[in-house]
Short mmCIF file of all heavy atoms in Angstrom, two decimals:
data_model
loop_
_atom_site.label_atom_id
_atom_site.label_comp_id
_atom_site.label_asym_id
_atom_site.label_seq_id
_atom_site.Cartn_x
_atom_site.Cartn_y
_atom_site.Cartn_z
N THR I 138 90.73 96.89 96.25
CA THR I 138 92.11 96.75 96.71
C THR I 138 93.10 97.24 95.66
O THR I 138 92.78 97.30 94.47
CB THR I 138 92.36 95.25 97.05
OG1 THR I 138 93.67 95.09 97.54
CG2 THR I 138 92.19 94.35 95.86
N LEU I 139 94.28 97.58 96.13
CA LEU I 139 95.37 98.00 95.25
C LEU I 139 96.57 97.14 95.62
O LEU I 139 96.99 97.13 96.79
CB LEU I 139 95.67 99.49 95.47
CG LEU I 139 96.79 100.13 94.65
CD1 LEU I 139 96.52 100.06 93.16
CD2 LEU I 139 96.98 101.60 95.07
N ILE I 140 97.09 96.38 94.66
CA ILE I 140 98.17 95.44 94.99
C ILE I 140 99.42 95.71 94.15
O ILE I 140 99.33 96.17 93.01
CB ILE I 140 97.73 93.96 94.84
CG1 ILE I 140 97.48 93.61 93.37
CG2 ILE I 140 96.52 93.66 95.70
CD1 ILE I 140 97.17 92.14 93.16
N ASN I 141 100.55 95.39 94.74
CA ASN I 141 101.81 95.50 94.02
C ASN I 141 102.11 94.17 93.36
O ASN I 141 101.90 93.11 93.96
CB ASN I 141 102.94 95.88 94.97
CG ASN I 141 104.21 96.22 94.19
OD1 ASN I 141 104.94 95.34 93.76
ND2 ASN I 141 104.47 97.51 94.03
N ARG I 142 102.64 94.21 92.14
CA ARG I 142 102.83 92.97 91.39
C ARG I 142 103.83 92.02 92.04
O ARG I 142 103.88 90.85 91.70
CB ARG I 142 103.19 93.26 89.94
CG ARG I 142 104.49 93.97 89.67
CD ARG I 142 104.73 94.10 88.16
NE ARG I 142 104.42 92.87 87.48
CZ ARG I 142 103.30 92.65 86.75
NH1 ARG I 142 102.42 93.60 86.58
NH2 ARG I 142 103.09 91.47 86.19
N GLN I 143 104.60 92.51 93.00
CA GLN I 143 105.57 91.60 93.64
C GLN I 143 104.89 90.51 94.48
O GLN I 143 105.54 89.57 94.90
CB GLN I 143 106.56 92.38 94.49
CG GLN I 143 106.00 92.96 95.76
CD GLN I 143 107.09 93.63 96.59
OE1 GLN I 143 108.19 93.88 96.13
NE2 GLN I 143 106.77 93.93 97.84
N ILE I 144 103.57 90.60 94.70
CA ILE I 144 102.90 89.53 95.45
C ILE I 144 102.59 88.32 94.57
O ILE I 144 102.09 87.31 95.07
CB ILE I 144 101.60 89.99 96.15
CG1 ILE I 144 100.47 90.18 95.14
CG2 ILE I 144 101.81 91.21 97.00
CD1 ILE I 144 99.09 89.99 95.74
N LEU I 145 102.85 88.40 93.26
CA LEU I 145 102.46 87.31 92.37
C LEU I 145 102.97 85.94 92.81
O LEU I 145 102.19 84.98 92.85
CB LEU I 145 102.89 87.62 90.92
CG LEU I 145 102.51 86.56 89.88
CD1 LEU I 145 101.01 86.30 89.85
CD2 LEU I 145 103.01 86.95 88.50
N PRO I 146 104.26 85.78 93.18
CA PRO I 146 104.70 84.44 93.63
C PRO I 146 103.90 83.93 94.83
O PRO I 146 103.53 82.75 94.87
CB PRO I 146 106.17 84.65 93.99
CG PRO I 146 106.59 85.87 93.23
CD PRO I 146 105.37 86.74 93.14
N LYS I 147 103.60 84.82 95.78
CA LYS I 147 102.79 84.41 96.94
C LYS I 147 101.40 83.99 96.50
O LYS I 147 100.85 82.99 96.98
CB LYS I 147 102.66 85.57 97.93
CG LYS I 147 103.81 85.69 98.89
CD LYS I 147 103.55 86.81 99.88
CE LYS I 147 104.78 87.03 100.75
NZ LYS I 147 104.87 88.33 101.35
N LEU I 148 100.82 84.76 95.58
CA LEU I 148 99.47 84.46 95.10
C LEU I 148 99.45 83.12 94.37
O LEU I 148 98.55 82.30 94.57
CB LEU I 148 99.00 85.59 94.17
CG LEU I 148 97.67 85.37 93.43
CD1 LEU I 148 96.54 85.05 94.39
CD2 LEU I 148 97.33 86.57 92.57
N GLU I 149 100.46 82.86 93.54
CA GLU I 149 100.48 81.60 92.80
C GLU I 149 100.63 80.41 93.74
O GLU I 149 99.96 79.39 93.58
CB GLU I 149 101.61 81.62 91.76
CG GLU I 149 101.37 82.72 90.74
CD GLU I 149 101.99 82.45 89.39
OE1 GLU I 149 103.22 82.28 89.34
OE2 GLU I 149 101.26 82.45 88.39
N GLN I 150 101.49 80.54 94.74
CA GLN I 150 101.66 79.47 95.73
C GLN I 150 100.36 79.24 96.49
O GLN I 150 99.94 78.10 96.72
CB GLN I 150 102.78 79.85 96.70
CG GLN I 150 103.16 78.75 97.68
CD GLN I 150 103.67 77.50 96.98
OE1 GLN I 150 104.61 77.56 96.20
NE2 GLN I 150 103.03 76.35 97.25
N PHE I 151 99.70 80.32 96.85
CA PHE I 151 98.44 80.29 97.59
C PHE I 151 97.38 79.52 96.79
O PHE I 151 96.71 78.63 97.31
CB PHE I 151 98.00 81.73 97.84
CG PHE I 151 96.85 81.88 98.79
CD1 PHE I 151 97.03 81.79 100.16
CD2 PHE I 151 95.58 82.17 98.31
CE1 PHE I 151 95.96 81.96 101.03
CE2 PHE I 151 94.51 82.34 99.18
CZ PHE I 151 94.71 82.23 100.54
N LEU I 152 97.27 79.84 95.49
CA LEU I 152 96.28 79.18 94.65
C LEU I 152 96.64 77.71 94.41
O LEU I 152 95.78 76.84 94.38
CB LEU I 152 96.14 79.92 93.32
CG LEU I 152 95.47 81.29 93.40
CD1 LEU I 152 95.64 82.06 92.10
CD2 LEU I 152 93.99 81.17 93.74
N GLU I 153 97.93 77.44 94.26
CA GLU I 153 98.38 76.05 94.07
C GLU I 153 98.04 75.20 95.28
O GLU I 153 97.76 74.01 95.17
CB GLU I 153 99.90 76.00 93.84
CG GLU I 153 100.28 76.16 92.38
CD GLU I 153 101.78 76.28 92.20
OE1 GLU I 153 102.53 75.66 93.01
OE2 GLU I 153 102.20 76.98 91.28
N ASN I 154 98.06 75.81 96.46
CA ASN I 154 97.71 75.09 97.69
C ASN I 154 96.21 74.84 97.79
O ASN I 154 95.75 74.20 98.74
CB ASN I 154 98.17 75.88 98.92
CG ASN I 154 99.68 75.94 99.03
OD1 ASN I 154 100.38 75.19 98.37
ND2 ASN I 154 100.18 76.85 99.85
N GLY I 155 95.45 75.41 96.85
CA GLY I 155 94.00 75.21 96.88
C GLY I 155 93.26 76.22 97.72
O GLY I 155 92.05 76.11 97.93
N ASP I 156 93.97 77.23 98.21
CA ASP I 156 93.31 78.25 99.04
C ASP I 156 92.54 79.22 98.16
O ASP I 156 92.97 79.54 97.05
CB ASP I 156 94.35 79.03 99.86
CG ASP I 156 94.91 78.19 101.00
OD1 ASP I 156 94.13 77.47 101.63
OD2 ASP I 156 96.12 78.27 101.25
N ARG I 157 91.43 79.71 98.67
CA ARG I 157 90.62 80.68 97.92
C ARG I 157 90.23 81.88 98.78
O ARG I 157 89.70 82.84 98.26
CB ARG I 157 89.33 80.00 97.40
CG ARG I 157 89.57 78.88 96.37
CD ARG I 157 90.08 79.45 95.07
NE ARG I 157 90.32 78.42 94.06
CZ ARG I 157 91.50 77.84 93.83
NH1 ARG I 157 92.54 78.17 94.58
NH2 ARG I 157 91.64 76.94 92.88
N LYS I 158 90.43 81.79 100.08
CA LYS I 158 89.98 82.88 100.95
C LYS I 158 90.94 84.05 100.83
O LYS I 158 92.07 84.00 101.29
CB LYS I 158 89.86 82.42 102.40
CG LYS I 158 88.60 81.64 102.66
CD LYS I 158 88.30 81.52 104.13
CE LYS I 158 87.73 82.81 104.68
NZ LYS I 158 86.36 82.70 105.11
N ILE I 159 90.43 85.09 100.26
CA ILE I 159 91.25 86.24 99.89
C ILE I 159 91.97 86.85 101.09
O ILE I 159 93.13 87.24 101.00
CB ILE I 159 90.32 87.25 99.16
CG1 ILE I 159 91.10 88.20 98.28
CG2 ILE I 159 89.42 87.97 100.09
CD1 ILE I 159 90.20 88.94 97.29
N ILE I 160 91.29 86.88 102.22
CA ILE I 160 91.87 87.56 103.38
C ILE I 160 93.07 86.78 103.94
O ILE I 160 93.99 87.36 104.51
CB ILE I 160 90.78 87.82 104.46
CG1 ILE I 160 91.24 88.93 105.41
CG2 ILE I 160 90.36 86.59 105.18
CD1 ILE I 160 91.33 90.29 104.75
N LEU I 161 93.08 85.46 103.74
CA LEU I 161 94.23 84.67 104.19
C LEU I 161 95.48 85.04 103.41
O LEU I 161 96.58 85.11 103.96
CB LEU I 161 93.95 83.17 104.03
CG LEU I 161 92.82 82.60 104.88
CD1 LEU I 161 92.65 81.11 104.60
CD2 LEU I 161 93.11 82.80 106.37
N LEU I 162 95.31 85.29 102.12
CA LEU I 162 96.45 85.75 101.31
C LEU I 162 96.93 87.11 101.81
O LEU I 162 98.14 87.32 101.98
CB LEU I 162 96.05 85.86 99.84
CG LEU I 162 97.11 86.53 98.96
CD1 LEU I 162 98.31 85.60 98.77
CD2 LEU I 162 96.55 86.96 97.62
N TYR I 163 95.99 88.01 102.06
CA TYR I 163 96.38 89.36 102.48
C TYR I 163 97.20 89.32 103.77
O TYR I 163 98.12 90.11 103.94
CB TYR I 163 95.14 90.22 102.71
CG TYR I 163 94.38 90.58 101.44
CD1 TYR I 163 93.22 91.33 101.50
CD2 TYR I 163 94.82 90.15 100.18
CE1 TYR I 163 92.52 91.67 100.35
CE2 TYR I 163 94.12 90.48 99.04
CZ TYR I 163 92.97 91.24 99.13
OH TYR I 163 92.28 91.57 97.99
N ARG I 164 96.85 88.37 104.63
CA ARG I 164 97.57 88.28 105.91
C ARG I 164 99.01 87.85 105.72
O ARG I 164 99.83 88.02 106.62
CB ARG I 164 96.84 87.32 106.86
CG ARG I 164 95.56 87.93 107.40
CD ARG I 164 94.93 87.03 108.45
NE ARG I 164 93.63 87.56 108.84
CZ ARG I 164 92.55 86.82 109.04
NH1 ARG I 164 92.61 85.51 108.90
NH2 ARG I 164 91.42 87.37 109.41
N GLN I 165 99.33 87.24 104.58
CA GLN I 165 100.70 86.82 104.31
C GLN I 165 101.52 87.97 103.70
O GLN I 165 102.72 87.82 103.46
CB GLN I 165 100.71 85.64 103.32
CG GLN I 165 100.07 84.39 103.87
CD GLN I 165 100.02 83.28 102.82
OE1 GLN I 165 100.69 83.33 101.81
NE2 GLN I 165 99.20 82.27 103.09
N CYS I 166 100.86 89.08 103.42
CA CYS I 166 101.51 90.21 102.75
C CYS I 166 101.54 91.42 103.69
O CYS I 166 100.92 91.41 104.74
CB CYS I 166 100.74 90.58 101.48
SG CYS I 166 100.58 89.21 100.31
N LYS I 167 102.28 92.44 103.27
CA LYS I 167 102.30 93.70 104.04
C LYS I 167 101.08 94.51 103.64
O LYS I 167 101.09 95.26 102.67
CB LYS I 167 103.59 94.46 103.76
CG LYS I 167 104.82 93.75 104.27
CD LYS I 167 106.05 94.63 104.12
CE LYS I 167 107.28 93.92 104.65
NZ LYS I 167 108.16 93.45 103.57
N MET I 168 100.00 94.31 104.39
CA MET I 168 98.71 94.91 104.06
C MET I 168 98.43 96.14 104.91
O MET I 168 98.74 96.16 106.10
CB MET I 168 97.60 93.88 104.28
CG MET I 168 96.21 94.39 103.93
SD MET I 168 94.90 93.25 104.45
CE MET I 168 94.52 93.90 106.08
N ILE I 169 97.87 97.17 104.29
CA ILE I 169 97.33 98.30 105.04
C ILE I 169 95.84 98.42 104.70
O ILE I 169 95.40 97.96 103.65
CB ILE I 169 98.04 99.63 104.71
CG1 ILE I 169 97.90 99.96 103.21
CG2 ILE I 169 99.51 99.58 105.11
CD1 ILE I 169 98.21 101.40 102.88
N THR I 170 95.08 99.02 105.61
CA THR I 170 93.69 99.33 105.28
C THR I 170 93.58 100.84 105.07
O THR I 170 94.30 101.62 105.68
CB THR I 170 92.73 98.89 106.41
OG1 THR I 170 93.14 99.50 107.63
CG2 THR I 170 92.73 97.39 106.57
N VAL I 171 92.69 101.20 104.17
CA VAL I 171 92.50 102.60 103.81
C VAL I 171 91.11 103.02 104.27
O VAL I 171 90.11 102.39 103.92
CB VAL I 171 92.65 102.81 102.29
CG1 VAL I 171 92.57 104.29 101.95
CG2 VAL I 171 93.98 102.22 101.80
N ASP I 172 91.06 104.06 105.08
CA ASP I 172 89.84 104.46 105.77
C ASP I 172 88.87 105.20 104.84
O ASP I 172 89.19 106.28 104.33
CB ASP I 172 90.22 105.36 106.95
CG ASP I 172 89.01 105.78 107.77
OD1 ASP I 172 87.93 105.18 107.59
OD2 ASP I 172 89.14 106.71 108.59
N PHE I 173 87.70 104.60 104.64
CA PHE I 173 86.62 105.26 103.90
C PHE I 173 85.38 105.34 104.79
O PHE I 173 84.26 105.29 104.31
CB PHE I 173 86.27 104.48 102.62
CG PHE I 173 87.30 104.62 101.53
CD1 PHE I 173 88.34 103.71 101.41
CD2 PHE I 173 87.24 105.68 100.62
CE1 PHE I 173 89.29 103.83 100.40
CE2 PHE I 173 88.19 105.81 99.62
CZ PHE I 173 89.20 104.89 99.50
N SER I 174 85.59 105.46 106.10
CA SER I 174 84.45 105.46 107.03
C SER I 174 83.55 106.68 106.82
O SER I 174 82.41 106.69 107.27
CB SER I 174 84.93 105.39 108.48
OG SER I 174 85.82 106.47 108.75
N ASP I 175 84.06 107.70 106.12
CA ASP I 175 83.22 108.86 105.82
C ASP I 175 82.27 108.57 104.64
O ASP I 175 81.40 109.38 104.35
CB ASP I 175 84.10 110.08 105.48
CG ASP I 175 85.07 109.82 104.34
OD1 ASP I 175 85.49 108.65 104.17
OD2 ASP I 175 85.41 110.77 103.61
N GLN I 176 82.46 107.42 103.98
CA GLN I 176 81.60 107.06 102.84
C GLN I 176 81.16 105.60 102.95
O GLN I 176 81.40 104.79 102.04
CB GLN I 176 82.38 107.24 101.52
CG GLN I 176 82.96 108.62 101.31
CD GLN I 176 83.74 108.70 100.01
OE1 GLN I 176 83.20 108.44 98.92
NE2 GLN I 176 85.01 109.05 100.08
N PRO I 177 80.51 105.22 104.06
CA PRO I 177 80.21 103.81 104.29
C PRO I 177 79.30 103.20 103.23
O PRO I 177 79.31 101.99 103.00
CB PRO I 177 79.55 103.78 105.67
CG PRO I 177 79.04 105.16 105.88
CD PRO I 177 79.98 106.06 105.16
N HIS I 178 78.49 104.03 102.57
CA HIS I 178 77.54 103.47 101.59
C HIS I 178 78.16 103.33 100.20
O HIS I 178 77.50 102.88 99.27
CB HIS I 178 76.29 104.34 101.51
CG HIS I 178 75.59 104.45 102.84
ND1 HIS I 178 75.08 103.35 103.49
CD2 HIS I 178 75.38 105.51 103.66
CE1 HIS I 178 74.55 103.73 104.65
NE2 HIS I 178 74.72 105.03 104.78
N ALA I 179 79.42 103.71 100.07
CA ALA I 179 80.10 103.64 98.77
C ALA I 179 80.35 102.20 98.34
O ALA I 179 80.62 101.94 97.17
CB ALA I 179 81.41 104.41 98.82
N PHE I 180 80.28 101.27 99.30
CA PHE I 180 80.66 99.89 98.98
C PHE I 180 79.47 98.94 98.97
O PHE I 180 79.62 97.74 99.17
CB PHE I 180 81.72 99.41 99.98
CG PHE I 180 82.94 100.29 99.96
CD1 PHE I 180 83.15 101.23 100.95
CD2 PHE I 180 83.86 100.21 98.92
CE1 PHE I 180 84.26 102.07 100.92
CE2 PHE I 180 84.96 101.04 98.87
CZ PHE I 180 85.17 101.97 99.87
N VAL I 181 78.29 99.48 98.72
CA VAL I 181 77.10 98.64 98.61
C VAL I 181 77.32 97.64 97.48
O VAL I 181 77.63 98.01 96.35
CB VAL I 181 75.86 99.51 98.29
CG1 VAL I 181 74.67 98.63 97.94
CG2 VAL I 181 75.53 100.41 99.46
N ASN I 182 77.21 96.35 97.83
CA ASN I 182 77.32 95.27 96.83
C ASN I 182 75.92 94.81 96.47
O ASN I 182 75.14 94.52 97.36
CB ASN I 182 78.04 94.05 97.40
CG ASN I 182 79.53 94.18 97.32
OD1 ASN I 182 80.15 94.31 98.35
ND2 ASN I 182 80.10 94.15 96.16
N LEU I 183 75.64 94.71 95.20
CA LEU I 183 74.33 94.24 94.77
C LEU I 183 74.47 92.81 94.27
O LEU I 183 74.86 92.57 93.13
CB LEU I 183 73.77 95.17 93.69
CG LEU I 183 73.67 96.65 94.13
CD1 LEU I 183 73.14 97.51 93.01
CD2 LEU I 183 72.80 96.79 95.37
N ASN I 184 74.18 91.86 95.16
CA ASN I 184 74.41 90.45 94.87
C ASN I 184 73.17 89.68 94.45
O ASN I 184 73.27 88.60 93.89
CB ASN I 184 75.00 89.74 96.10
CG ASN I 184 76.45 90.13 96.33
OD1 ASN I 184 77.25 90.09 95.41
ND2 ASN I 184 76.76 90.53 97.53
N THR I 185 72.00 90.22 94.78
CA THR I 185 70.77 89.49 94.50
C THR I 185 69.79 90.40 93.76
O THR I 185 69.89 91.63 93.84
CB THR I 185 70.08 89.02 95.80
OG1 THR I 185 69.67 90.19 96.54
CG2 THR I 185 71.02 88.20 96.67
N PRO I 186 68.82 89.82 93.05
CA PRO I 186 67.80 90.65 92.38
C PRO I 186 67.07 91.57 93.36
O PRO I 186 66.73 92.69 93.03
CB PRO I 186 66.85 89.61 91.77
CG PRO I 186 67.69 88.38 91.57
CD PRO I 186 68.66 88.39 92.72
N GLN I 187 66.88 91.09 94.61
CA GLN I 187 66.18 91.91 95.61
C GLN I 187 67.00 93.16 95.98
O GLN I 187 66.47 94.26 96.09
CB GLN I 187 65.92 91.07 96.88
CG GLN I 187 64.92 89.94 96.70
CD GLN I 187 65.51 88.72 95.98
OE1 GLN I 187 66.73 88.57 95.86
NE2 GLN I 187 64.64 87.85 95.48
N GLU I 188 68.32 92.95 96.18
CA GLU I 188 69.18 94.09 96.51
C GLU I 188 69.21 95.09 95.36
O GLU I 188 69.22 96.31 95.56
CB GLU I 188 70.60 93.60 96.82
CG GLU I 188 70.72 92.85 98.13
CD GLU I 188 72.09 92.21 98.32
OE1 GLU I 188 72.99 92.44 97.50
OE2 GLU I 188 72.25 91.46 99.31
N LEU I 189 69.21 94.57 94.15
CA LEU I 189 69.24 95.41 92.95
C LEU I 189 67.99 96.28 92.89
O LEU I 189 68.06 97.48 92.64
CB LEU I 189 69.31 94.48 91.73
CG LEU I 189 69.76 95.07 90.41
CD1 LEU I 189 71.22 95.48 90.49
CD2 LEU I 189 69.60 94.04 89.29
N GLU I 190 66.85 95.64 93.13
CA GLU I 190 65.58 96.37 93.05
C GLU I 190 65.52 97.45 94.13
O GLU I 190 65.13 98.59 93.86
CB GLU I 190 64.43 95.37 93.23
CG GLU I 190 63.07 96.00 93.01
CD GLU I 190 61.93 95.00 93.19
OE1 GLU I 190 62.22 93.79 93.30
OE2 GLU I 190 60.79 95.43 93.22
N LYS I 191 65.95 97.10 95.34
CA LYS I 191 65.91 98.06 96.45
C LYS I 191 66.82 99.26 96.15
O LYS I 191 66.44 100.42 96.33
CB LYS I 191 66.36 97.36 97.73
CG LYS I 191 66.30 98.20 98.98
CD LYS I 191 66.50 97.31 100.21
CE LYS I 191 66.44 98.12 101.50
NZ LYS I 191 67.71 98.72 101.88
N PHE I 192 68.02 98.98 95.64
CA PHE I 192 68.97 100.06 95.33
C PHE I 192 68.40 100.96 94.24
O PHE I 192 68.49 102.18 94.30
CB PHE I 192 70.31 99.47 94.89
CG PHE I 192 71.37 100.51 94.66
CD1 PHE I 192 72.17 100.94 95.69
CD2 PHE I 192 71.58 101.06 93.40
CE1 PHE I 192 73.16 101.91 95.48
CE2 PHE I 192 72.55 102.01 93.17
CZ PHE I 192 73.34 102.44 94.23
N GLY I 193 67.79 100.34 93.22
CA GLY I 193 67.22 101.11 92.11
C GLY I 193 66.13 102.05 92.57
O GLY I 193 65.99 103.16 92.07
N GLN I 194 65.36 101.61 93.59
CA GLN I 194 64.27 102.46 94.10
C GLN I 194 64.82 103.61 94.93
O GLN I 194 64.23 104.68 94.97
CB GLN I 194 63.33 101.60 94.97
CG GLN I 194 62.50 100.64 94.16
CD GLN I 194 61.85 99.56 95.03
OE1 GLN I 194 62.14 99.45 96.22
NE2 GLN I 194 60.99 98.75 94.44
N GLU I 195 65.96 103.39 95.57
CA GLU I 195 66.51 104.42 96.46
C GLU I 195 67.39 105.44 95.73
O GLU I 195 67.57 106.55 96.18
CB GLU I 195 67.34 103.76 97.57
CG GLU I 195 66.49 102.98 98.56
CD GLU I 195 67.33 102.15 99.51
OE1 GLU I 195 68.55 102.16 99.38
OE2 GLU I 195 66.72 101.49 100.37
N SER I 196 67.98 105.02 94.61
CA SER I 196 68.96 105.91 93.96
C SER I 196 68.29 106.93 93.05
O SER I 196 67.13 106.86 92.74
CB SER I 196 69.96 105.09 93.16
OG SER I 196 69.31 104.34 92.18
#
Side-chain angles (χ1 to χ4, degrees):
T138 182
L139 180 61
I140 68 175
N141 189 281
R142 64 176 317 103
Q143 72 176 13
I144 74 153
L145 181 57
K147 275 184 187 158
L148 173 55
E149 297 207 301
Q150 186 61 56
F151 190 78
L152 290 168
E153 272 173 32
N154 292 345
D156 287 320
R157 295 291 180 265
K158 281 196 77 113
I159 202 165
I160 200 67
L161 295 179
L162 171 72
Y163 291 179
R164 287 186 187 139
Q165 295 176 16
C166 302
K167 294 187 179 106
M168 182 189 92
I169 60 164
T170 56
V171 185
D172 182 14
F173 286 92
S174 56
D175 57 330
Q176 305 178 58
H178 301 299
F180 302 102
V181 170
N182 276 111
L183 303 179
N184 287 311
T185 65
Q187 292 77 16
E188 289 172 7
L189 198 66
E190 187 180 350
K191 183 168 180 275
F192 184 88
Q194 288 165 352
E195 290 171 358
S196 60

